[in-house]
Every structure is written in structure tokens, then in C-alpha cells.
């Protein structure tokens, strides 16, 4: 031990803290005078890995080294502390007991964790000594130890940035550039895997540690090169606390005078933390190794071609034998895990297997749900097709519903059984319930549509059965119109309801639904009658005029009347108007409830017998409602009846006037003889002329000839046609045609006298001439005159 070097046994192998020794050490090296200008370095690593040798060469300390000739045994027990010589600022180095030693065994690992945690808590720089050939291994690289220490450190102590300097011993040909990324990745994985308290959930590794890596050649085989590399590394510890130095930042560093108290308190906290007593070494090994095996099986599952194919296929359509295929893949993965992890601690093995199963099922569950969705949609589609086919084949609705639902629920259950994965406890209860709801919804929709069609067909039958008869009854409106309509409505309603009720038995409806639909059909029949009544009430004025015209213009035998002058037009008019008024009273209100009213008497007294009607009765027609008739049953209000009657009388007045005129004309036509007094006067005053004609018959012949000539001129000149446009135009036209007509007549007579005459002509030449003149049409005579 050199004069500048000073060392002490800080913590013995039993975990006892050497308080007095630390106090003496601090006085000897004058640590309390350093303030914040000091650094603490520690080293950890497997037993007999050359830790003490490295420290002695690196910091010129005098830690006890293993004697290789005596065998590989434990050299350092507990934690030793020494001052580095020749390095500024003051640097204290701690040599930790090696890990994984046979002296403590695999079940006594608590001190290893405690000493490692203590080193990380108090040191600025922690050297992790490891052999090059141990890189990539779990235990030799201290991974489980670091994992536990990291977890506890975050819970016990506030963040303090420590430099982890991995010293790779006995470097091989593998370049450091290839070894360093592996170490850094391993440390990051350890950090990511440890559970973290809420305060450090998002804390990065760089918040707690700086990671550095160096490599040294073999001390025994290449001692000179080893010494050169150690000398080079030693330079990095000079001014290590300076900005950018190896010690990093100095956050949370305590003054040197408080180092002893701080160290004692840290060791006390570590010793009282029971978490560091467990797990034992074999548990840690089982934990890490089983987790690795589980991860390997999970990775192999994700890369399994059969799983990839099933997962891709099930996204678009169902996969036959889905459950068996997935179960087979899982069997392979789980059995492989069980085989490889068979010799590890049972509790850890089982826990890791359970975690692995959960990861597998999280990946598989979306595919399983997708498969159930395909089964549900495909089975539902088949059900719809089979259900429609059963109904089209004449099967009753209730029977088709029962048979199809039972059949396809069974098919759905079979599909779910085919998709079941034996490693799970999943059931398809929720999907099955949704499938049942889909079936019920489709059945309800089809039943609603079928019932609507059935109801529409019976409503159409009612329309056809009621519309035409009601139209005919309104055409012949009378006292028995509404009783006949009520009978018709009752008969057709009962007939339709009976048929509808029989048809509804196939739909397995409850009594409430059935009664509601039957009641709706009855209401529809009544609506048809009321609608037809409202429609005909809208054209009541046309019906009234038609009825009046029919009764006024035809007799009791339905023969057209000829107004000869013997008819009582007043009585006929009154009868026809009374019948029209009857039609108006029938159409004034709907009388399906057989409730008596006074509409007809009110109209008759107020509109026909106006003289006998009281003022109150007249005022009744100024109202908008009938007495004892609800507004909903009123088709024509009293005031509308009064207006319609006034319009009716106005529009039929012309027909009556025409009949009266025709009757008067007929009377005038039948009276062709003069009055008796005129006949007597003619006989008295014309006696002399009559006797003259009797004594000289030639006068009769002369008068007859003159008559024929006048008639011939009348026909040839077309006198009635010419005077049609007025007297003066007719007189002027006749005067222009008179002379040509006379010349034409004379020429014809001359032509006939030149030709041979028949016996009749010789006997009566005047008649022949007259007939010849008359044979010419007025148009021909007019043309000849022109």
C-alpha cells in the first residue's frame, strides 16, 4: 500500500456498516475538506473476473487480488473502499464483492443486490466488469441483477445521473463497434421492462444513467497492451467531474463532509427494503429465461404461415375448421414452451405461460370475432332465403317461422362450435343473442309486410264491394238510401272481417293485435262509405239537376214528355223539385249510426213551403250545423243547402220556361180554324161571292191557276229564304230576280207546248206547268235567275 493510498473495509460480508472505519478514512484522506470536488467510483461484476486487479492498475490502489495458484475463490468480501492516487479531484473507489459466487450459492443473492444498489446510489461512475465472451448472456452480464436494482432504485431514491462504464475484458477479434450496440440495446431493454412508479412512467434511461463502453485486452496474455489500455483509460478519470467529464452532471451530489452520514442512511434504507431479499437467483433465471421462451414462441406464432393465411382470409369470408386450425397452431406453440421451460421454477413457468396465453389470445380474438360475424351474416342470409321460399311454397307464416328459426339457430350453433378455440373460455352468447335479434327483426319485417299486403287486399275488396252499390244508392236517393247503405256496410264488413280473421290465424298474433287489425278493417269500411258520401256531396247540385231533368222531362213510363197543352207544368215542377230536395236532404249528412234527424223536414218547410215556415225555421238555414248531427257527420251545412237550392232553382228555371213556351206553341198550332164568330161572319158577308162562284165555275178554275202561278213564283224566287236576312234586303233581291224568273217560266211553257203532250197534260195543262215549275229546286231557280 503506497503512502498516498488509504483503504478501509466499508461493509463486511454480513452487511454491517463500518461507521468508525469510514470516519477514520475520511480524516485520513481529508475528504471533508473537498466540498463538492470529489468523485466516487465503484466496480461490480462476477466473482474472480479481475475487478480488484483492474482497480489496482487503473487507480494505483492496493485491493487484495486473487492468487491464481491457490484456485479461483472469493477474494473480496463485502465492500472495500480506497483513495485513488495521482487523480484529481479526490476520487474514492469501492471494490464490491463479486456476484454469482459459489460461496453464497444461488439462494443467497440479497447481498449482491444490496451492494449493487448501494454502489449505484452513492457512485458517480460504476464500472461493470465483464468478460467479452459473456456479452449476450443473461447471468454473466448481470442483467437480472441490474433489472432488480433499477426497479428498486427508482422507488427508493430520487433520480441521480450515474455513468455506467462497461469494461469488456479479454477483448477478442470482434470490433468494439459491434459489441457496444449490443450492450446498449440490452441496457435499454432492461430499463423498458422494469415496472416503474407513477412518477417515472415516462422517465427515460438517459435521466438516470450515461452508458459508456471500453474494451481491454487480456491481462495474462497481453500484459503490456493491457497496461497501455488501462493507462489510456486512467486519463479519462482525471477531472471527471468537470463539464463533459466521465462523471457527468453532479445533480444531487452531497458535500464531502456529509458523505459518511449519507452513505449510512442509504445503506440503512437498502437493508430495510425487503424486496431485495427476493427473488432468489433461480427465480430470476427462471423469470428471464421463461420470458425469453414465451417471446420466442409468440414471435414464431406471428410468423406462422398458416396463421397469417387464416388471419387474412377470415377478414373477407369464413374459414372452414377455423377453431381446429387455430387450436393446432396454439398447441404447437404451447407445447414447445412447456418442453423448453420444463426444468425452470414451476411458479415462474406457470405465470409466464399464462401471460403468454393472454398475449396469444389478444392477437387471435379479433379474428375469432370476425369469424363469428361471418357465421352470423351467412346464416342470417340463408335463413332469409329459406324463410321466403317456405312462405312462397304455401307454408303458413307461423309454421315457417318456427321451423326456419329452429333450423338456422342450430346451424349457427354448429358454426360457432366449429370456430371454438379449445384454449379459450370464449363463448358466442352475445353474438348468438344478436343473431336471434336479427332473426326476430327479419320475421317482424316480413310479417309486417305480409300483414300490410293482406290488409290492403281486403281493403281493396271492400272498396270494390262498397263503391259501386253506394254510387247506385245515391243516384236513387230516397228514404231507404241510408238504411240500405247501413245494411250494405254491415254485410260487407262482416264478410271481410270474417275472411281477414281466418287469414290472420296463420300469423300467430295475440288477441290484442288481432282485434286491433280487425277493428282497423271495420274502420276502413266505414271510411270508404264516408269518403264516397263526401265525394258525391261535392257534386250534389249536378245530381239534383239530373234528377229534376229526368222527372220533369219524362212521364211515369219514362217516356219523353210532349208538351201538348194538357200537362200541369206547375205540379210536375213541384214534384221534380221535391225529389231533388229529397236528394239534397239525403246527401246533407252521414247517417251510419241510425240516429234520427230533422234535416228533410227543415229543408222542406224552409225552402218549399216558405209561406208556412216560421222565422225561426228560416234562421235554421243560416247556421253552419244541423241539430242532432255532429260536425264530423255533416256533409252539407244548412247555409250551403240554402245556397245550393237557390242555385238549383236558378239553373232549372230555364227548363220550366221552355216547357211553358212549348206548351203555348202547341196550343197555338192546334187552333188552325178561325173563331166561330169569324166563320159566321165569313158566311154572312161572303154569301154573294160564294153564289157567284157557284153560278160561274170558271172563276174557280181561274183562281186555281192563279194559285199555281203564285206558288210557282214563290218557290222559284225562294221568298222565305230571301226574307230571312231582313225585309229590305229580301225585297231588293226578289226585285232583281223577278223578271228573269218570269222569262224562265215562259220559256219553259213554250218548250213544253212544242213537244208532244201526254194525255194527262191535255186534260190538265195548268197542273203540268205547275209541277214543272215546282220541280226546280230553289237553288236551281236562283241560278237560272242569275
Amino acid at each position: 500500500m503506497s503512502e498516498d493510498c488509504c483503504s478501509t473495509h466499508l461493509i463486511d460480508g454480513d452487511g454491517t456498516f463500518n461507521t468508525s472505519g469510514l470516519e477514520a478514512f475520511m480524516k485520513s484522506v481529508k475528504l471533508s475538506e473537498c466540498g463538492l470536488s470529489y468523485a466516487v467510483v465503484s466496480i461490480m461484476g462476477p466473482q474472480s473476473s479481475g475487478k480488484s486487479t483492474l482497480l489496482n492498475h487503473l487507480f494505483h490502489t492496493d485491493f487484495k487480488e486473487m492468487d491464481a495458484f491457490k484456485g479461483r475463490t472469493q477474494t473480496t468480501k463485502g465492500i472495500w473502499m480506497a483513495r485513488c492516487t495521482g487523480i484529481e479531484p479526490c476520487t474514492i473507489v469501492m471494490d464490491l464483492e463479486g456476484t454469482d459466487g459459489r460461496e453464497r450459492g444461488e439462494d443467497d443473492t440479497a447481498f449482491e443486490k444490496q451492494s449493487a444498489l448501494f454502489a449505484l446510489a452513492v457512485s458517480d461512475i460504476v464500472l461493470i466488469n465483464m468478460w467479452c465472451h459473456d456479452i449476450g448472456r443473461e447471468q454473466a452480464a448481470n442483467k437480472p441483477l441490474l433489472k432488480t436494482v433499477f426497479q428498486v432504485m427508482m422507488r427508493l431514491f430520487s433520480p441521480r445521473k450515474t455513468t455506467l462504464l462497461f469494461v469488456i475484458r479479454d477483448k477478442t477479434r470482434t470490433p468494439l463497434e459491434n459489441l457496444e450496440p449490443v450492450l446498449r440495446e440490452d441496457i435499454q431493454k432492461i430499463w423498458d421492462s422494469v415496472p416503474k412508479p407513477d412518477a417515472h412512467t415516462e422517465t427515460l434511461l438517459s435521466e438516470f444513467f450515461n452508458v459508456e463502453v471500453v474494451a481491454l485486452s487480456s491481462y495474462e496474455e497481453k500484459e503490456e497492451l493491457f497496461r497501455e489500455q488501462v493507462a489510456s483509460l486512467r486519463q479519462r478519470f482525471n477531472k471527471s467531474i468537470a463539464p463533459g467529464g466521465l462523471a457527468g452532471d453532479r445533480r444531487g451530489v452531497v458535500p464531502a463532509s456529509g458523505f459518511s452520514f449519507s452513505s449510512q442512511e442509504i445503506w440503512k434504507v437498502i437493508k430495510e427494503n425487503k424486496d431485495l431479499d427476493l427473488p432468489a437467483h433461480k427465480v430470476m433465471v427462471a423469470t428471464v429465461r421463461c420470458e425469453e421462451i414465451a417471446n420466442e414462441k409468440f414471435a414464431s406464432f406471428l410468423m406462422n404461415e398458416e396463421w397469417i393465411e387464416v388471419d387474412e382470409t377470415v377478414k373477407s369470408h369464413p374459414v372452414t375448421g377455423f377453431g381446429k386450425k387455430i387450436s393446432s397452431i396454439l398447441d404447437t406453440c404451447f407445447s414447445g414452451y412447456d418442453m423448453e421451460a420444463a426444468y425452470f421454477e414451476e411458479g415462474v413457468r406457470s405465470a409466464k405461460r399464462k401471460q403468454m396465453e393472454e398475449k396469444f389470445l389478444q392477437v387471435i380474438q379479433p379474428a375469432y370475432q370476425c369469424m363469428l360475424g361471418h357465421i352470423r351474416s351467412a346464416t342470417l342470409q340463408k335463413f332469409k332465403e329459406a324463410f321466403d321460399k317456405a312462405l312462397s311454397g304455401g307454408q303458413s307464416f307461423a309454421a315457417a317461422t318456427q321451423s326456419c328459426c329452429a333450423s338456422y339457430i342450430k346451424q349457427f350453433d354448429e358454426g360457432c362450435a366449429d370456430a371454438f378455440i379449445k384454449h379459450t373460455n370464449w363463448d358466442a352468447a352475445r353474438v348468438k343473442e344478436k343473431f336471434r335479434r336479427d332473426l326476430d327483426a327479419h320475421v317482424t319485417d316480413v310479417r309486417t309486410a305480409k300483414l300490410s299486403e293482406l290488409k290492403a287486399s281486403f281493403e281493396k275488396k271492400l272498396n270494390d264491394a262498397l263503391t259501386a252499390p253506394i254510387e247506385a244508392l245515391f243516384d236513387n236517393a230516397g228514404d231507404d238510401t241510408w238504411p240500405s247503405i247501413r245494411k250494405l256496410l254491415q254485410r260487407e264488413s262482416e264478410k271481410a272481417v270474417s275472411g281477414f280473421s281466418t287469414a290472420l290465424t296463420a300469423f300467430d298474433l295475440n288477441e290484442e293485435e288481432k282485434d286491433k287489425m280487425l277493428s282497423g278493417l271495420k274502420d276502413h269500411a266505414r271510411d270508404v262509405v264516408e269518403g264516397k258520401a263526401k265525394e258525391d256531396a261535392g257534386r250534389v247540385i249536378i245530381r239534383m239537376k239530373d234528377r229534376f231533368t229526368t222527372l220533369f222531362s219524362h212521364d211515369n213510363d219514362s217516356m219523353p214528355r210532349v208538351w201538348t197543352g194538357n200537362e200541369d207544368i206547375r205540379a210536375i215542377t213541384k214534384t221534380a223539385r221535391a225529389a231533388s230536395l229529397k236528394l239534397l236532404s239525403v246527401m246533407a249528412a252521414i247517417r251510419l249510426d241510425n240516429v234520427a234527424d230533422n234535416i228533410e223536414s227543415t229543408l222542406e218547410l224552409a225552402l218549399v213551403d216558405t209561406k208556412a215556415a216560421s222565422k225561426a225555421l228560416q234562421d235554421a238555414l243560416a247556421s253552419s250545423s244541423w241539430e242532432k248531427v255532429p260536425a264530423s257527420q255533416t256533409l252539407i251545412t244548412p247555409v250551403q243547402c240554402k245556397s245550393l237550392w237557390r242555385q238549383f232553382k236558378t239553373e232549372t228555371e230555364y227548363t220550366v220556361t221552355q216547357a211553358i213556351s212549348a206548351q203555348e206553341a202547341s196550343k197555338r198550332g192546334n187552333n188552325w180554324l178561325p173563331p166561330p164568330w169569324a166563320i159566321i161572319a165569313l158566311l154572312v158577308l161572303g154569301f154573294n161571292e160564294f153564289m157567284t162562284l157557284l153560278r160561274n165555275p170558271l172563276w174557280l178554275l181561274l183562281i186555281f191557276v192563279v194559285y199555281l202561278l203564285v206558288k210557282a213564283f214563290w218557290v222559284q224566287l225562294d221568298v222565305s229564304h230571301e226574307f230571312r236576312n231582313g225585309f229590305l234586303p229580301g225585297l231588293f233581291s226578289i226585285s232583281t230576280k223577278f223578271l228573269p224568273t218570269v222569262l224562265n217560266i215562259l220559256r219553259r211553257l213554250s218548250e213544253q207546248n212544242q213537244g208532244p203532250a201526254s194525255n194527262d197534260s191535255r186534260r190538265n195543262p195548268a197542273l203540268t206547268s205547275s209541277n214543272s215549275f215546282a220541280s226546280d229546286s230553289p237553288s236551281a231557280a236562283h241560278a237560272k235567275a242569275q
Side-chain angles (χ1 to χ4, degrees), residues 482-483 485-487 489-490 522-523 526-527 529-530 589-597 628-634:
W482 282 108
I485 290 176
R486 288 194 292 270
K487 291 180 182 178
L489 175 61
Q490 183 178 3
K522 292 179 182 178
D523 294 340
R526 186 183 179 97
D527 291 341
V529 175
E530 292 181 355
I590 297 173
R591 299 176 176 87
L592 293 178
D593 297 326
N594 196 19
V595 178
D597 59 66
K628 300 180 182 179
V629 179
S632 60
Q633 303 298 310
T634 301

Side-chain angles (χ1 to χ4, degrees), residues 201-217:
T201 303
E202 302 297 331
T203 302
L204 302 177
L205 174 66
S206 57
E207 291 288 324
F208 274 82
F209 303 102
N210 288 326
V211 178
E212 298 285 344
V213 181
V214 296
L216 301 177
S217 298

Side-chain angles (χ1 to χ4, degrees), residues 505-654:
T505 56
F507 290 90
D508 196 21
L509 298 175
N510 58 46
E511 289 299 323
E512 183 179 356
E513 292 176 327
K514 186 175 180 180
D515 292 343
K516 183 177 180 181
M517 297 199 72
L518 295 178
S519 177
L521 188 63
K522 292 179 182 178
D523 294 340
H524 176 76
R526 186 183 179 97
D527 291 341
V528 170
V529 175
E530 292 181 355
K532 188 61 183 174
K534 292 177 182 178
E535 179 184 345
D536 286 359
R539 55 174 185 267
V540 66
I541 187 67
I542 299 175
R543 289 182 176 275
M544 291 171 64
K545 290 191 293 183
D546 290 344
R547 173 170 287 196
F548 177 84
T549 302
T550 301
L551 295 177
F552 186 80
S553 302
H554 296 77
D555 58 18
N556 293 333
D557 297 327
S558 298
M559 298 299 293
R561 293 186 189 274
V562 179
W563 304 106
T564 61
N566 298 324
E567 296 82 10
D568 187 355
I569 294 180
R570 180 180 295 276
I572 294 173
T573 302
K574 185 175 181 180
T575 301
R577 284 181 176 173
S580 298
L581 187 65
K582 168 67 76 174
L583 175 62
L584 180 62
S585 67
V586 169
M587 299 301 301
I590 297 173
R591 299 176 176 87
L592 293 178
D593 297 326
N594 196 19
V595 178
D597 59 66
N598 58 356
I599 295 177
E600 183 177 359
S601 60
T602 301
L603 290 176
E604 185 175 352
L605 291 174
L607 299 178
V608 180
D609 299 335
T610 54
K611 294 182 179 179
S614 63
K615 185 176 184 302
L617 195 60
Q618 292 290 341
D619 292 340
L621 294 185
S623 174
S624 59
S625 61
W626 296 104
E627 185 180 358
K628 300 180 182 179
V629 179
S632 60
Q633 303 298 310
T634 301
L635 297 176
I636 306 173
T637 62
V639 68
Q640 290 174 337
C641 287
K642 186 175 182 179
S643 176
L644 288 171
W645 185 253
R646 187 182 301 113
Q647 179 183 353
F648 164 74
K649 289 182 65 176
T650 301
E651 294 181 1
T652 57
E653 195 68 36
Y654 178 74

Side-chain angles (χ1 to χ4, degrees), residues 361-374:
L361 298 185
Q362 287 177 359
V363 175
I364 294 171
Q365 190 171 30
Y368 175 73
Q369 294 296 332
C370 191
M371 182 65 189
L372 291 184
H374 287 310

Side-chain angles (χ1 to χ4, degrees), residues 90-159:
C90 180
T91 301
I92 306 299
V93 61
M94 294 187 299
D95 188 11
L96 275 64
E97 179 180 320
T99 61
D100 200 18
R102 67 179 180 84
E103 286 78 3
R104 290 188 180 272
E106 66 175 21
D107 293 327
D108 187 14
T109 59
F111 186 81
E112 295 178 3
K113 299 167 191 173
Q114 292 171 349
S115 60
L117 181 58
F118 178 79
L120 287 171
V122 302
S123 301
D124 299 302
I125 304 169
V126 177
L127 280 67
I128 300 175
N129 193 60
M130 59 187 302
W131 300 107
C132 182
H133 51 73
D134 286 338
I135 296 177
R137 298 178 181 177
E138 283 295 323
Q139 298 303 321
N142 291 289
K143 290 182 181 179
L145 177 63
L146 286 176
K147 184 174 182 179
T148 303
V149 170
F150 283 176
Q151 178 179 349
V152 178
M153 184 177 182
M154 281 188 294
R155 192 173 74 240
L156 298 182
F157 307 110
S158 59

Side-chain angles (χ1 to χ4, degrees), residues 271-342:
K271 287 287 288 182
E272 291 176 353
N273 182 49
K274 301 302 180 181
D275 290 346
L276 293 175
D277 294 335
L278 295 173
H281 179 70
K282 62 179 180 180
V283 175
M284 288 192 299
V285 173
T287 301
V288 174
R289 186 59 189 142
C290 289
E291 186 172 350
E292 285 184 348
I293 296 172
N295 291 336
E296 290 173 2
K297 299 307 175 185
F298 183 70
S300 67
F301 168 76
L302 295 179
M303 299 300 293
N304 185 282
E305 294 182 357
E306 186 177 5
W307 157 248
I308 294 173
E309 181 181 359
V310 170
D311 188 40
E312 290 297 326
T313 304
V314 80
K315 292 177 181 178
S316 57
H317 57 271
V319 177
T320 304
F322 176 86
K324 292 182 179 178
K325 291 180 180 179
I326 300 300
S327 298
S328 175
I329 298 172
L330 293 180
D331 281 340
T332 302
C333 295
F334 293 166
S335 61
Y337 171 86
D338 293 338
M339 185 180 298
E340 295 185 33

Side-chain angles (χ1 to χ4, degrees), residues 687-700:
F687 181 76
N688 295 332
E689 288 78 4
F690 180 70
M691 294 303 295
T692 302
L693 291 176
L694 290 177
R695 294 189 187 100
N696 190 1
L698 292 175
W699 282 105
L700 291 174

